[in-house]
Amino acid sequence: MASAANKARVVVDKAFRIAEVDKRIYGSFIEHLGRAVYGGIYDPSHPETDSLGFREDVKQLVQELGVPIIRYPGGNFVSGYNWEDGVGPRESRPRRLELAWRTIEPNEVGTNEFMAWAKEIGSEVMMAVNLGTRGVDAARNLLEYCNHPSGSYWSDLRRSHGYDQPHKVKTWCLGNEMDGPWQIGQKTPQEYGRLAYETGKAMKLVDPDIELVSCGSSSTGMPTFPEWEAITLDHTYDVADFVSLHQYYGNRDGDSANFLARTMDMDHFIRTVISTCDYVKAKKRSKKTMYLSFDEWNVWYHSNDADTKIDPWTVGPPQLEDVYNFEDALLVGGMLITFLKHADRVKMACLAQLVNVIAPIMTETGGRSWKQTIFYPYLHASRYGRGVSLQPIVDSPKYDAQDYTDVPYLETAVVYNEEEEELTIFALNRHLEEALDVECDVRGFEGYQIAEHIVLENDDLKAVNTAAEENVKPHSRGSAALKDGFVSTRLSKASWNVIRLKKA
């Protein structure tokens, strides 16, 4: 039973609009890292592959998630990548030492193969260019290769490789984590800002319709944050359309209450970057609003120690293969809620990554595939979180954690799909010991009925899914009921909830 103090109230109204949700906040990421590509999406040894060697079972799982955009090919990998190595006849492509992750890159999968795979699963591609070891020339040539119809050297080269039609890649990242000392070709903010501006300027001369993402800080913990954004955007503001954010969280000390409160840090990160962008906007007397691309985010800590034991210079070793537990799924749900609460400025986000490497989908090379615990909140948000993000008025009991104060037990976001006449309430109960009674005022949605109350719950916060057994999976036996314009429900302790209302 919930205690008398463990009750929350929510008010939802159509007029409380934040913004239309850009479907690209449900994007993901495939890097040439570990078994994301080799042994993940691509596995010619598997009994069920297409003509290019891509796994059909993995395609089906990605399609189930409805991933609208996928960042490629990195990540740290891109800062040492020569894109020309990955096009043309496979038998003539070079094997390279890949310095970011100290593996061998066989270049069996490159730009054209990945574009064909993404097209088949129904996803756009967010292409990153190398601003570590390369710059303006390589970036503009890659863009010409991908997007120019024909009649030029690089576009005709693409056609000679068997791809007559341009790939029409709209969104491009100007490098990756260039503030990081781990990055090949790390830059100072002034160095990066100048290079990114000149690269972006040249790229938009090739194709004025593209969108560009300026490289932001690698995390809130970087010593140069947020000065990096202020300096780099001073250079790139006029050419870029987005600035990137990256953040991962872990629970090494086993403090679950503090771990589930990490969305407070994420919210602060987003607000700080917005403030910095708006400072540069004011400084430049600009009318343009800079949007945010949170193009790396997830839980990541389980696999860190294991990765130090990987033998170098092998193809597709098992790197960064976090086995996610139930509490990781709860935090992922909370992070998705945070994006919806900032739908006015966060327009893209990429769960890093998609297959095997810190991923919702796992595979055995040549064998089975399965859904990790984090698959489900990602699936629910992608499937039901499309429409207008509404600002709920929330009165929730709170708690203090090690790093955060006044953490609401109830974390919630609401999406209204006017076309489908659906209202979806995403609700995370952070309380580890007690259920939470919630009353939600939805009187503005006359004629609506409860369609479903999906619940992800488990008594064991450390429960995991494996190829043999799915211990963490949702059910639709939630208690939500609607009477006289009020939804009432009891959210189980430590649970992820999706309450769907539809007009009768």
Side-chain angles (χ1 to χ4, degrees), residues 8 65 67 98 108 114 175 261 275 320:
L65 287 169
V67 183
E98 201 290 287
E108 291 179 33
F114 190 80
S275 298
L320 280 62

Side-chain angles (χ1 to χ4, degrees), residues 207-380:
D207 186 348
D209 294 328
I210 62 172
E211 299 174 323
L212 296 175
V213 183
S214 184
C215 185
S217 295
S218 300
S219 74
T220 54
M222 297 302 292
T224 54
F225 173 74
E227 185 181 17
W228 172 276
E229 281 78 2
I231 295 172
T232 60
L233 286 174
D234 199 40
H235 293 284
T236 64
Y237 199 92
D238 291 337
V239 74
D241 304 280
F242 304 87
V243 62
S244 70
L245 296 82
H246 294 178
Q247 190 68 55
Y248 300 96
Y249 295 112
N251 187 21
R252 283 188 172 277
D253 59 4
D255 186 342
S256 298
N258 197 59
F259 177 61
L260 294 181
R262 294 292 185 197
T263 56
M264 304 280 282
D265 176 79
M266 191 181 209
D267 182 82
H268 179 69
F269 188 10
I270 291 170
R271 292 181 185 278
T272 302
V273 174
I274 289 172
S275 298
T276 308
C277 291
D278 291 348
Y279 157 73
V280 178
K281 177 181 181 179
K283 180 181 175 182
K284 288 182 169 291
R285 312 294 198 267
S286 176
K287 294 181 179 179
K288 183 175 80 173
T289 297
M290 184 66 63
Y291 293 106
L292 276 55
S293 174
F294 216 121
D295 50 40
E296 284 190 34
W297 68 274
N298 205 344
V299 173
W300 175 19
Y301 74 102
H302 298 284
S303 63
N304 292 4
D305 294 336
D307 287 341
T308 62
K309 302 171 185 176
I310 299 297
D311 291 332
W313 316 128
T314 57
V315 176
Q319 294 172 295
L320 280 62
E321 297 197 0
D322 274 39
V323 176
Y324 288 116
N325 58 38
F326 174 57
E327 71 177 4
D328 297 330
L330 295 178
L331 182 63
V332 164
M335 295 168 85
L336 287 159
I337 285 173
T338 303
F339 295 144
L340 289 170
K341 289 163 67 174
H342 290 283
D344 56 332
R345 297 298 288 269
V346 177
K347 298 297 184 181
M348 294 190 292
C350 299
L351 176 71
Q353 294 189 14
L354 186 54
V355 182
N356 288 332
V357 175
I358 49 175
I361 299 168
M362 292 295 290
T363 73
E364 296 170 334
T365 300
R368 297 170 292 182
S369 59
W370 66 97
K371 303 171 182 177
Q372 292 233 64
T373 63
I374 66 170
F375 184 97
Y376 289 109
Y378 181 26
L379 169 69
H380 297 151

